[in-house]
Amino acid sequence: FFVLARRSLNKMQVIMQEGMSEIEQAQGSQDPNHQSVQLEKAIAIMTQGIEDTKEQFLLDMVFHAQIGALHYQKASLFTQLKMKKQMMRQTSEVRKAEVKIQDCFSAARENLTISLKHNWVTTITRNWMAVGMLACLEYRDKNVDGAITRLKKASGSGSNDALYYGLLSWMQHKNNQDSEALLTLTSG
């Protein structure tokens, strides 16, 4: 078991490093189109990582969380492009960007949902960011109560991060739960 786990973790580390190099190239560029292409390459690398590490449980969920986060980031790039096209009054380009945004958010939701299929994964990996992104997607879809409930379930892994408390309290405030929001802020 330990030999298999070590071999799988080494594979995962190599794949993550390859993906991170693509992400770093994307972040080094000012062009959202180039960033999108680089993020797509990173997504392809991470997707291949799911296949390469099937022999070890839990690793596929880690990859799905990363892939979901990359799709979420891609959606924000297309949102920037959409705003730019709106300012230039290019309505056909705005519609194309909206379709791409929806596609990216759908892919993000799918991968984040897979990564959080089991509640214990967030506890083991100590990564609440996938939960936060999925909660933001739920909030965006006007399921505010579901988003707040989802975030509260990740309180253990998010307990050391001020962003967690800020996001949760903001959602509570927007849902007219001001006293809950204040309690959340003071506890974080």
Side-chain angles (χ1 to χ4, degrees), residues 11 15 30 52 54 57 80 125 133 147 166 169 179:
K11 278 185 192 178
I15 293 165
Q30 295 296 317
D52 291 348
K54 276 202 183 258
F57 85 103
Q80 290 175 10
T125 60
M133 285 182 230
S169 64
S179 59

Side-chain angles (χ1 to χ4, degrees), residues 10-175:
N10 287 339
K11 278 185 192 178
M12 184 181 105
Q13 186 176 19
V14 169
I15 293 165
M16 287 290 194
Q17 286 174 344
E18 288 176 25
M20 288 305 294
S21 70
E22 294 295 334
I23 294 168
E24 287 172 5
Q25 288 179 15
Q27 291 173 342
S29 172
Q30 295 296 317
D31 178 24
N33 290 317
H34 177 69
Q35 289 177 332
S36 174
V37 169
Q38 293 303 118
L39 287 177
E40 197 56 50
K41 288 179 182 177
I43 289 168
I45 290 169
M46 300 286 181
T47 303
Q48 183 59 44
I50 293 171
E51 295 300 317
D52 291 348
T53 57
K54 276 202 183 258
E55 67 267 1
Q56 184 67 35
F57 85 103
L58 187 65
L59 293 185
D60 61 334
M61 294 180 196
V62 172
F63 279 115
H64 278 293
Q66 288 295 321
I67 292 167
L70 292 173
H71 279 296
Y72 197 93
Q73 186 175 358
K74 243 176 83 173
S76 70
L77 290 174
F78 288 125
T79 302
Q80 290 175 10
L81 285 173
K82 175 187 163 190
M83 290 188 305
K84 182 179 176 183
K85 298 301 180 184
Q86 281 176 328
M87 290 171 42
M88 298 168 68
R89 301 193 191 285
Q90 296 176 342
T91 56
S92 65
E93 293 297 318
V94 169
R95 279 192 224 103
K96 288 178 187 175
E98 287 172 346
V99 169
K100 289 180 180 179
I101 291 167
Q102 286 302 98
D103 291 345
C104 289
F105 277 142
S106 294
R109 180 186 308 277
E110 179 183 331
N111 282 286
L112 292 170
T113 302
I114 291 170
S115 75
L116 299 171
K117 186 170 35 177
H118 306 290
N119 289 333
W120 51 268
V121 174
T122 305
T123 306
I124 290 174
T125 60
R126 305 289 299 160
N127 183 4
W128 72 272
M129 292 292 183
V131 176
M133 285 182 230
L134 195 54
C136 287
L137 288 172
E138 287 179 345
Y139 181 86
R140 187 175 183 272
D141 293 340
K142 311 243 185 297
N143 181 8
V144 181
D145 291 328
I148 291 170
T149 302
R150 183 176 298 280
L151 271 176
K152 283 183 176 180
K153 287 180 183 176
S155 64
S157 56
S159 64
N160 294 330
D161 196 343
L163 183 60
Y164 167 79
Y165 292 104
L167 179 61
L168 179 56
S169 64
W170 179 80
M171 285 186 184
Q172 289 169 329
H173 170 70
K174 289 294 186 178
N175 200 29

